[in-house]
Amino acid sequence: MRASILVVEDDPVLNRLLVKELSKAGYEVEGADSWQLARERIAAFAPHLVLLDVNLPDAEGFGPLAEIARTRPVVMLTAYGNVNQAVEAMRLGAADYLIKPVNLDELEMVIRSALERSQWQTQHALRQADATRAMIGDSDAMQQLHRLIHEVAQSEITVLIQGESGAGKELVAQAIHAASPRAHESFVAVDCCTLQESLFESELFGHERGAFTGANRRKAGLIEAAARGTLFLDEIGEAGASIQAKLLRVIETGRFRHVGATSDLRSEVRIVAATNRHLRDRALAGHFREDLYYRLSTFVIEVPPLRSRKSDIPALAAHFATRRRQAMGLDPVSFSRAALDQLTAYSWPGNVRELRNVMERALIMLGGGKTILDSHLGFSPTWHAPQAQAVHIPPNPPSAQPAHEALILTDEPTLEHIEREYLASLLKKYGGNRRRAAEAMGISERTAYRMMERFGYK
């Protein structure tokens, strides 16, 4: 679609000239010789950009500029320009300011730049809105989270996002990127649990040809792929010591080196990291570099667990159900009061990820029905016990036992207790199959293995 321009100029000769020349340049152009006519043409023609004379027969000064600039870019034209007038025009929202007689080549360049900038701003706003909409909920905890994202997005500092598994840490990272000046650049996510340390180093920093067996060509790493965008390091607490040292150098100096290289490369990437560990405690205990922790934690965002924002659960459940039904080409569904009561009563140790999985199951159980009932959810969230009990995983567990019935929590469970009991229930359900338990939790098998080691499961 061709860009459209409205020329608002009371000099009939210049008006016709500008309309003619801009039309020849490929734009769809109309003219107006007064502010009243300009307002009518804006409403009917809806131009992408307006060329506006400062002095019109029925409007002088910057009144028209302030009104038009709220909805589209404006390039000002004047025969009597001065520095103060130009500064005031830009303050009120003018995309640029030109003095007559106008050089047509310069005018075309200014118009092209203003339209490109306006298009980027529109796309940026849409990306930011999409990222914000993905974070469902208007609880106090979510409102505070949105405020923190907005505050840190415009800066260039590193951010550490902390929260339980499945709470939505990557969505927070994406929202920070979408609201930042880097939104038009790449967002690259890296799971620090997925690869062995030697392969991870190559993937992250890149390698030279011949750096190791099988390196038959030079390969750029994910830091280069992110370029001037955002690099999201998920589960940074799982990164090995060598990776930690090199990441620290990237943050401090903006420099890194390919595996097998002898010279440095420059990086302008912004780093956002996330962890479900108590990273400060791990740093103080010597399990994570203290200097890297303090560089990463310049600005810390805590993602609230789902159990602390239960008022958001109905909206989240409806969102997951609606999105899935739309993908299947089916009408939306409703929830029974009993189903909503069960959803809000449950403690959600797997957080938003677990809720999404429960809704997937409920829609399967629903079949051709229109209302999700409590019987479709597949768990009984009303259990409680006065104190935590040890978990025993038998070699041949009863396959019909619901996974959640194996969870035994205190009234105020710790995060470690929730993780241990949740993992135990899934291992019991899947007969000790670590891969299937990891898939159910939405984590890598390597992370599940480390959790088993940490909790003493064999």
Side-chain angles (χ1 to χ4, degrees), residues 166-211:
K169 297 187 290 295
E170 184 167 349
L171 282 179
V172 173
Q174 290 172 347
I176 292 171
H177 174 74
S180 75
R182 298 171 180 259
H184 61 292
E185 302 287 353
S186 299
F187 176 86
V188 177
V190 185
D191 187 346
C192 298
C193 300
T194 55
L195 296 171
Q196 296 177 356
E197 186 166 348
S198 57
L199 294 177
F200 184 33
E201 183 176 356
S202 171
E203 287 294 313
L204 189 60
F205 299 102
H207 64 252
E208 296 294 314
R209 180 180 179 182

Side-chain angles (χ1 to χ4, degrees), residues 16-69:
R16 287 194 298 270
L17 174 65
L18 291 174
V19 170
K20 177 183 176 181
E21 292 300 323
L22 292 174
S23 297
K24 286 167 59 177
Y27 298 106
E28 186 179 354
V29 190
E30 291 192 10
D33 58 6
S34 68
W35 175 225
Q36 180 180 349
L37 182 57
R39 297 177 90 171
E40 294 173 1
R41 298 310 304 139
I42 289 172
F45 180 47
H48 293 103
L49 179 142
V50 175
L51 282 179
L52 179 64
D53 188 8
V54 170
N55 296 312
L56 296 170
D58 52 349
E60 292 187 1
F62 293 124
L65 165 63
E67 182 173 329
I68 300 172

